[in-house]
Amino acid sequence: GFNARVRVDGGSFGLIREHAAIAGQSGDWDLYAAATNQTGQGWRSQSQQNIQFGSLNLGRSFGEDREVRLIVNGSNINQEIPGALTWSQFQANPRQDAPANYANDQGRNQRGLRASLRTTWRLSDSTVFEGAIYVLWKDLDHPIFQVIDQQSRNWGAFGRLDWQGEIGGMKADAFGGLWLRTGDMDSNFYVNVKGHRGAPRSRTLQNADAADLFAEGRLFVTDPLAVVGGGTWGRAGRDYE
């Protein structure tokens, strides 16, 4: 069966939040999905917000310790920034915005999407594999002292194998795995002209990649005493243009 929830909240200074969610299970499938919308005027001027969130968690079971799961999260955030006040400005009117923030319509606007497809899979009574692939995208429009315009993309994969058993009649366990990841960001700065992009000030292309390989094992020579050995290797690359 499935359960649903709808909720509406309201508060001072124009705050309204609507939220809806559904969760349930049918056979080998399970699902959770939710969405939230929030708007508000804010206590000060130049502090409006308009925010949306969404999430999806969908799984399929193939028996004990065997499942595949898709997780997706998205966001859209638009916020004005009222700025800091001097002590004299605060005493005169604590609800006012900083003049420069209003003149340049300073704010933080960001869209993002995250997704992963992961699995936990028991290969035998003694061995379990866990792994995933994932992607992340973010778009930032951030008018402050300059307009910051950045778009980034990241993706990767990891896998890990866990084992429990015996060696020479002694209890033992071990794990090992690999994590690969890469990403890039295009970053542009512009003169802030009333919250809009003016003349370009800088453009950069930023790229990164990394890899880690790891393993560790334990041999219990007695119940409270184990001999532990392990190691890790990693590399990272950075490129800034």
Side-chain angles (χ1 to χ4, degrees), residues 138-197:
K138 184 174 73 173
D139 184 33
L140 175 65
D141 177 25
H142 195 13
I144 44 175
F145 70 99
Q146 293 180 3
V147 176
I148 301 174
D149 176 17
Q150 294 178 334
Q151 188 172 123
S152 60
R153 296 151 293 268
N154 296 274
W155 52 95
F158 71 86
R160 170 177 168 144
L161 199 63
D162 286 85
W163 172 82
Q164 288 184 328
E166 289 187 352
I167 297 177
M170 293 178 285
K171 185 174 68 173
D173 57 49
F175 67 85
L178 175 66
W179 181 20
L180 303 172
R181 56 208 183 272
T182 185
D184 66 85
M185 181 170 71
D186 303 333
S187 180
N188 300 290
F189 282 52
Y190 302 88
V191 173
N192 187 337
V193 182
K194 298 182 179 180
H196 300 286
R197 295 169 178 79

Side-chain angles (χ1 to χ4, degrees), residues 83-102:
L85 301 176
T86 65
W87 177 239
S88 60
Q89 288 173 328
F90 179 82
Q91 289 179 310
N93 178 11
R95 298 184 63 176
Q96 68 176 305
D97 54 67
N101 285 53
Y102 178 78

Side-chain angles (χ1 to χ4, degrees), residues 24 39 55 81 134 147 171 218 223 228:
T39 57
S55 61
I81 300 177
Y134 64 89
V147 176
K171 185 174 68 173
R218 300 187 301 176
D223 283 342
V228 182

Side-chain angles (χ1 to χ4, degrees), residues 30-65:
D30 64 83
L31 168 72
Y32 175 80
T36 302
N37 178 65
Q38 177 175 311
T39 57
Q41 296 297 316
W43 183 69
R44 300 170 60 189
S45 58
Q46 188 64 23
S47 60
Q48 293 185 26
Q49 58 175 276
N50 183 359
I51 302 172
Q52 292 81 37
F53 294 107
S55 61
L56 170 69
N57 188 322
L58 178 64
R60 167 73 193 276
S61 174
F62 295 88
E64 185 178 359
D65 294 332

